[in-house]
Amino acid sequence: MEFAVLNNRSAVIIRRSAAGLLCALAGLAGVVNPAAAQCDIYRLDVPDFDQRRGPAGNIPGLPNNGSMHCVPTCYADWIGYINNHGYPNLLGGVQDWQVGNYTPVTYLIDELAGLCLTNPSKGTNMVLGAAGLQSYLDSHYSGLFIAGTVTASGIYAPTTTDIYFAMADGQLATLCSSRWTLTPPSNGHPERYVKTKGGHAQVITRVYSA
């Protein structure tokens, strides 16, 4: 599992509610605190663009109908959000995502897929994806944003609490998961999970009871 974060360097918000602070203290103390149920955070007005896009008449589609374009689609969601919340040069002005933007959004996802080196049959490497997103943002607002990843390693994987505090600090989060298959014992190996082809990414707009 990987947790991609997008941080606005020009306006990082480090502002937590009392409930959020209690969450942190409860975690440090190793106890469960009733305040945890209050640790909710929302990101409103985030567009939810369709990932799968096949051509129809004069309407363009994506390679392989977009089946492997979950990462650039998530990034398009966040770019749409950022564009309408203070940075309109990203997409040439504030947009109404409910009306008449299907074709421009398809082109945006396709452009991001190119920058992220998305493979139409294999998907997107998250490190390369973050670099592609960084390139797009820098081409419009140089030096104002940082894109990066926090990656599961060994026994560590990002938790909902990690995501909660990242969002509370003003970051925009995309959660990416891999696909694993439980294999039976064989050739001296015990039953185990083996990473297989596939996975998914989606934007995180809410964390509750972090």
Side-chain angles (χ1 to χ4, degrees):
M1 180 167 61
E2 296 181 347
F3 167 42
V5 297
L6 176 62
N7 189 18
N8 178 348
R9 199 158 39 194
S10 67
V12 175
I13 301 172
I14 306 177
R15 188 181 305 135
R16 296 174 183 160
S17 66
L21 181 59
L22 286 173
C23 280
L25 294 176
L28 290 173
V31 299
V32 176
N33 191 299
Q38 302 174 43
C39 293
D40 297 357
I41 191 165
Y42 299 82
R43 199 70 79 221
L44 302 176
D45 302 321
V46 181
D48 182 16
F49 299 133
D50 293 332
Q51 170 189 338
R52 293 185 178 272
R53 292 168 180 259
N58 294 326
I59 300 174
L62 294 171
N64 201 15
N65 293 332
S67 61
M68 294 295 175
H69 282 60
C70 56
V71 171
T73 302
C74 288
Y75 291 165
D77 289 341
W78 284 129
I79 287 170
Y81 172 82
I82 297 167
N83 180 81
N84 282 7
H85 289 79
Y87 298 88
N89 289 344
L90 280 173
L91 297 172
V94 174
Q95 305 291 325
D96 179 358
W97 300 123
Q98 303 300 316
V99 180
N101 277 290
Y102 187 90
T103 296
V105 168
T106 301
Y107 286 133
L108 172 63
I109 296 171
D110 192 47
E111 179 181 0
L112 289 167
L115 292 171
C116 297
L117 302 181
T118 297
N119 185 307
S121 61
K122 296 181 180 179
T124 309
N125 174 285
M126 286 305 299
V127 174
L128 297 177
L133 176 59
Q134 185 73 64
S135 176
Y136 184 92
L137 293 166
D138 283 344
S139 70
H140 294 80
Y141 289 100
S142 180
L144 292 187
F145 296 92
I146 301 171
T149 60
V150 178
T151 307
S153 177
I155 63 172
Y156 169 76
T159 66
T160 52
T161 303
D162 295 331
I163 298 171
Y164 171 86
F165 282 118
M167 292 176 67
D169 286 345
Q171 299 180 33
L172 311 179
T174 300
L175 186 65
C176 309
S177 59
S178 301
R179 182 169 292 142
W180 299 76
T181 300
L182 183 62
T183 61
S186 64
N187 299 325
H189 294 288
E191 182 181 68
R192 65 199 188 282
Y193 281 97
V194 176
K195 188 175 181 180
T196 56
K197 178 181 176 181
H200 194 52
Q202 63 186 63
V203 299
I204 302 298
T205 58
R206 177 185 181 185
V207 175
Y208 59 93
S209 299

